[in-house]
Amino acid sequence: MFLQGKNHQRVIRIGVWVAVIGLLLGVLSSIIMATAADAHTALKSSDPKDGATLTTPPARVVLTFSEPVSTSFATVTVTGPDGPITEGKAGVEGDVVTQALASGIPDGTYAVSFRVVSEDGHPVSDRLSFTVAAGTSATSTGTATTSGGPASSPPATAVSPTGAAESASDQVADSGRTTRVGLAVAVAALAVAAGTAVIALTRRRGAE
């Protein structure tokens, strides 16, 4: 009877720890899958920046992504007051996509639409915008010079919301990863505590 009781306790302990290890492996696989989902390609920066006001028309649009993108499916369209101003196809070099623009574009607001495909096949698309105000700046400077007054101060550097948006996005992503890791640790601790408690209870009953 004593040996049978010991064998019974051993089987219970093995079963409990198998269940605990299985639970831990499940939590670990969930963390790995969630981390992989967070790692999709995303736009890191753009030149011109989203929302920027320029005093000189840009010659190109440069998009930098978090990972290399496919050279076959990158498209960038820039449209202004008079229609599209892109010239040729977008060029891709690693994680940088460059789109040439027509020269002498007029003042106005321009919309940038892009679509790329990451190397793992994940499509990424979005819209940006920038404003060209070269004529306004030149008129203001000419007026100040003619009047004989002091030279006008250089225009303030445009503050783009892209940086703030990217920072907020990074903070949200980091917060989500921290939350998942914290939950995983909590579940693992509860699983180990439950397994230990069950084994301790089994031993006490066996002793009684």
Side-chain angles (χ1 to χ4, degrees), residues 73-148:
F73 304 102
T75 57
V76 180
T77 303
V78 183
T79 307
D82 297 335
I85 61 169
T86 52
E87 290 202 346
K89 296 182 178 180
V92 179
E93 186 174 350
D95 58 355
V96 177
V97 177
T98 304
Q99 174 63 61
L101 305 180
S103 60
I105 62 176
D107 289 0
T109 299
Y110 292 82
V112 181
S113 301
F114 68 85
R115 187 180 190 279
V116 299
V117 177
S118 63
E119 290 187 337
D120 62 358
H122 178 69
V124 180
S125 60
D126 203 350
R127 291 175 61 89
L128 311 172
S129 67
F130 63 88
T131 300
V132 176
T136 303
S137 175
T139 302
S140 174
T141 303
T143 302
T145 304
T146 303
S147 63

Side-chain angles (χ1 to χ4, degrees), residues 4-178:
Q4 291 179 353
K6 294 287 288 184
N7 291 334
H8 182 66
Q9 292 178 28
R10 186 178 298 108
V11 170
I12 292 177
R13 286 198 296 270
I14 292 174
V16 169
W17 282 114
V18 168
V20 170
I21 292 173
L23 179 59
L24 294 178
L25 290 176
V27 172
L28 181 60
S29 63
S30 299
I31 294 175
I32 293 174
M33 292 178 64
T35 302
D38 288 338
H40 280 318
T41 302
L43 180 67
K44 288 177 58 180
S45 63
S46 65
D47 183 17
K49 293 182 179 180
D50 185 23
T53 298
L54 310 176
T55 57
T56 302
R60 64 187 62 84
V61 170
V62 181
L63 307 174
T64 303
F65 295 87
S66 58
E67 296 178 355
V69 299
S70 172
T71 59
S72 303
F73 304 102
T75 57
V76 180
T77 303
V78 183
T79 307
D82 297 335
I85 61 169
T86 52
E87 290 202 346
K89 296 182 178 180
V92 179
E93 186 174 350
D95 58 355
V96 177
V97 177
T98 304
Q99 174 63 61
L101 305 180
S103 60
I105 62 176
D107 289 0
T109 299
Y110 292 82
V112 181
S113 301
F114 68 85
R115 187 180 190 279
V116 299
V117 177
S118 63
E119 290 187 337
D120 62 358
H122 178 69
V124 180
S125 60
D126 203 350
R127 291 175 61 89
L128 311 172
S129 67
F130 63 88
T131 300
V132 176
T136 303
S137 175
T139 302
S140 174
T141 303
T143 302
T145 304
T146 303
S147 63
S152 60
S153 58
T157 302
V159 178
S160 167
T162 304
E166 290 171 355
S167 177
S169 177
D170 291 342
Q171 291 177 0
V172 171
D174 291 341
S175 176
R177 283 190 289 267
T178 302

